Amino acid sequence: MIKKILITGIGGDIAQCVATILKKERSGIYLVGVDIHTQHGGTLFVDEFLTIPRADDASYLPSIRKIITEHEIDAVIPMTEPELGVLLPLIKDDQTVKWISAGYHVIEAGLDKLETINALLRFDIPAPWTRHVAHGALQFPCMIKSRFGSGSRGVFKVNSQEDADYFSSKYPEAIFQEYLEPEDAEVTCAVYRTKQNEVHTLLLLRRLTGGFTGWARVIEHEETTAMCAAIAINLDLRGSMNIQLRITAQGPRVFEINPRFSSTVMMRHQIGFDDVLWALDEAEGKAVSFPQIPYGATIVRTQGAVLLEK
């Protein structure tokens, strides 16, 4: 039985949503949260909070190992891409603790947007053209984005060669990617694969607010569902991942795979897609079952505030 869980990046919204779900649905669970500073509300969501070095610091891994040992942690939920990159060898081979993750191959492909597209093409899945900025853009408009990381920060629409030259000099490690239309057909796909290879997909047509999904509606699209299942199987998904795509006139085209729980994790939970709880159940050897989620169900993100000091 999992009693103590370490959640990294607890200063972020996704980790706080995961902690909220666990506290609500798992009585008796003890949560240890870590982050690199204290200027956030993460302490409000866990039983114990600790500061740790940045993931790119040489002391990061030893600090995580020490916390796991000294606090007798049963399971770890890594929540940020930089940490996933550093923790990848442990996720693959370390058996001293349960790692709640999407699995080695999803993480490896999802952390690198160029590798994401290359992986899709290896699986004979159509994908938008994607090139390192050093190789130039194939056409305009197109997008330029960081090769690594996630979210809308550092993502720009490029309308001309002049724009391309400017952004290439500013972001020499970025990628150019095909501009996918229409903008109002963007879908965030929650994908879960059980240990028995059963795949469950939730398609959410979304509108972004401040770079996050602010509004979402459950939709049905057989071609997209089949594509998500094919990606899950080919990448040997273990648990949950998130696929970002647009449904174009040529069919769904994936532009990003998030190898972790999504920022929509609480929105999903509200309508019954409980990937956090399913992952924990499977880590404990329990079977999971998927509910019927009605098409048309609509969810919105809300915000709040808490006074820490006066």
Side-chain angles (χ1 to χ4, degrees):
M1 179 70 75
I2 293 174
K3 291 290 187 182
K4 280 191 173 182
I5 299 177
L6 171 62
I7 303 177
T8 75
I10 195 64
D13 67 308
I14 308 175
Q16 291 173 11
C17 287
V18 168
T20 300
I21 292 168
L22 291 175
K23 277 296 182 184
K24 177 184 177 185
E25 305 292 346
R26 286 293 188 113
S27 61
I29 204 81
Y30 187 90
L31 300 182
V32 178
V34 297
D35 210 305
I36 59 175
H37 62 81
T38 61
Q39 295 176 332
H40 50 71
T43 56
L44 301 169
F45 296 84
V46 293
D47 299 288
E48 188 173 355
F49 172 78
L50 302 165
T51 56
I52 57 170
R54 289 168 53 98
D56 57 2
D57 191 294
S59 60
Y60 171 79
L61 265 183
S63 71
I64 291 293
R65 290 181 189 275
K66 183 178 180 182
I67 292 170
I68 290 173
T69 301
E70 293 187 350
H71 290 74
E72 299 180 322
I73 297 295
D74 299 311
V76 182
I77 307 180
M79 296 303 308
T80 71
E81 276 81 1
E83 291 176 300
L84 282 169
V86 176
L87 294 170
L88 192 54
L90 296 183
I91 292 171
K92 182 181 180 184
D93 296 321
D94 178 39
Q95 303 296 319
T96 61
V97 70
K98 295 184 184 303
W99 295 91
I100 308 298
S101 80
Y104 181 84
H105 297 293
V106 174
I107 296 171
E108 189 177 48
L111 290 179
D112 181 343
K113 294 185 181 67
L114 189 55
E115 173 54 25
T116 298
I117 300 303
N118 289 336
L120 296 176
L121 295 176
R122 287 198 298 273
F123 307 148
D124 291 327
I125 294 173
W129 66 259
T130 303
R131 298 158 60 95
H132 191 281
V133 292
H135 299 143
L138 284 182
Q139 64 188 63
F140 302 107
C142 67
M143 303 301 293
I144 187 170
K145 60 178 73 172
S146 172
R147 181 173 173 179
F148 306 98
S150 64
S152 60
R153 187 169 51 185
V155 180
F156 304 97
K157 189 175 180 181
V158 179
N159 293 301
S160 65
Q161 186 60 53
E162 184 179 6
D163 286 351
D165 293 341
Y166 171 76
F167 284 117
S168 297
S169 64
K170 193 174 178 66
Y171 304 103
E173 295 304 320
I175 56 172
F176 287 124
Q177 189 168 72
E178 181 178 351
Y179 175 67
L180 301 172
E181 295 184 282
E183 290 186 356
D184 62 359
E186 187 159 314
V187 181
T188 181
C189 310
V191 187
Y192 191 93
R193 182 176 181 231
T194 69
K195 291 183 176 179
Q196 286 71 42
N197 300 323
E198 185 180 358
V199 179
H200 185 48
T201 302
L202 178 71
L203 308 184
L204 295 174
L205 181 69
R206 72 173 183 180
R207 299 290 179 269
L208 293 175
T209 303
F212 297 98
T213 301
W215 174 96
R217 174 167 290 161
V218 180
I219 64 168
E220 181 181 23
H221 193 270
E222 291 185 5
E223 187 179 357
T224 298
T225 299
M227 176 182 283
C228 289
I231 295 171
I233 293 168
N234 278 289
L235 285 178
D236 192 24
L237 172 65
R238 309 292 181 87
S240 180
M241 69 176 174
N242 201 72
I243 295 176
Q244 312 285 353
L245 58 83
R246 283 185 180 174
I247 300 177
T248 72
Q250 292 73 42
R253 294 293 183 269
V254 174
F255 58 86
E256 188 169 326
I257 294 176
N258 302 135
R260 51 163 173 70
F261 292 114
S262 161
S263 64
T264 59
V265 65
M266 180 58 79
M267 299 170 81
R268 302 169 179 184
H269 173 70
Q270 297 293 340
I271 56 172
F273 193 97
D274 280 321
D275 47 351
V276 174
L277 302 178
W278 297 336
L280 219 58
D281 283 345
E282 287 209 296
E284 293 178 330
K286 302 174 184 174
V288 299
S289 59
F290 301 131
Q292 288 291 328
I293 298 176
Y295 299 122
T298 304
I299 328 158
V300 293
R301 183 186 300 271
T302 58
Q303 298 181 354
V306 175
L307 178 64
L308 288 179
E309 296 179 42
K310 189 174 183 180

